Amino acid sequence: MTAAPVILLVDDSRVSRMLCGAIVRERRPDAILVEAGSGDEALTCIASLVPHLAVLDVNMPGMSGLELAERIRTDHPDMRLALLTANVQDSVRQRAAALNASFFAKPINDAVIGRILDLLETQP
């Protein structure tokens, strides 16, 4: 990817966003990071700046990450989506696969974020 990648971090936990963002900044200092604490806030962000990659938590108040992924797929079918969650149920994994979203289990660490950032190198 030649242009600076835009990465959207969506998690209701500010601490999780901060940890994820710190690792992303270390690994991809060229990235433009956008943060959202809810699905609705994420949709507002996407309306003004379409990210190359969205990293979504599943369990959030209001709109879940799976519901958000479904809404994103409607308008942005080629956006790379990563579900980063502690909810590792098979049903969540299957729903992620159906939405063409990559699944990653928390906890957030350098290795997990590295695998998520590898999605930027794949063709949409």
Side-chain angles (χ1 to χ4, degrees):
M1 174 165 292
T2 56
V6 177
I7 301 171
L8 174 63
L9 306 176
V10 185
D11 197 311
D12 59 309
S13 166
R14 184 172 180 266
V15 172
S16 291
R17 290 193 316 269
M18 288 173 57
L19 179 56
C20 188
I23 296 170
V24 169
R25 283 181 189 92
E26 182 178 303
R27 287 180 154 261
R28 290 298 302 258
D30 61 321
I32 298 167
L33 287 182
V34 180
E35 295 184 17
S38 70
D40 288 329
E41 191 178 334
L43 291 175
T44 300
C45 292
I46 292 169
S48 61
L49 181 65
V50 178
H52 297 95
L53 169 65
V55 182
L56 316 175
D57 184 25
V58 171
N59 296 324
M60 297 185 290
M63 185 185 315
S64 75
L66 290 168
E67 293 167 324
L68 175 58
E70 189 173 300
R71 300 260 313 259
I72 291 171
R73 279 286 169 249
T74 300
D75 294 328
H76 306 283
D78 293 332
M79 186 185 300
R80 293 167 188 91
L81 299 179
L83 290 176
L84 177 59
T85 182
N87 188 340
V88 296
Q89 298 174 51
D90 285 339
S91 61
V92 173
R93 290 176 187 266
Q94 291 167 359
R95 186 86 173 100
L99 291 166
N100 193 27
S102 299
F103 182 92
F104 299 89
K106 286 182 176 177
I108 298 168
N109 60 46
D110 191 65
V112 170
I113 300 303
R115 292 194 332 264
I116 290 172
L117 291 175
D118 286 345
L119 295 174
L120 289 170
E121 306 309 321
T122 63
Q123 292 297 317

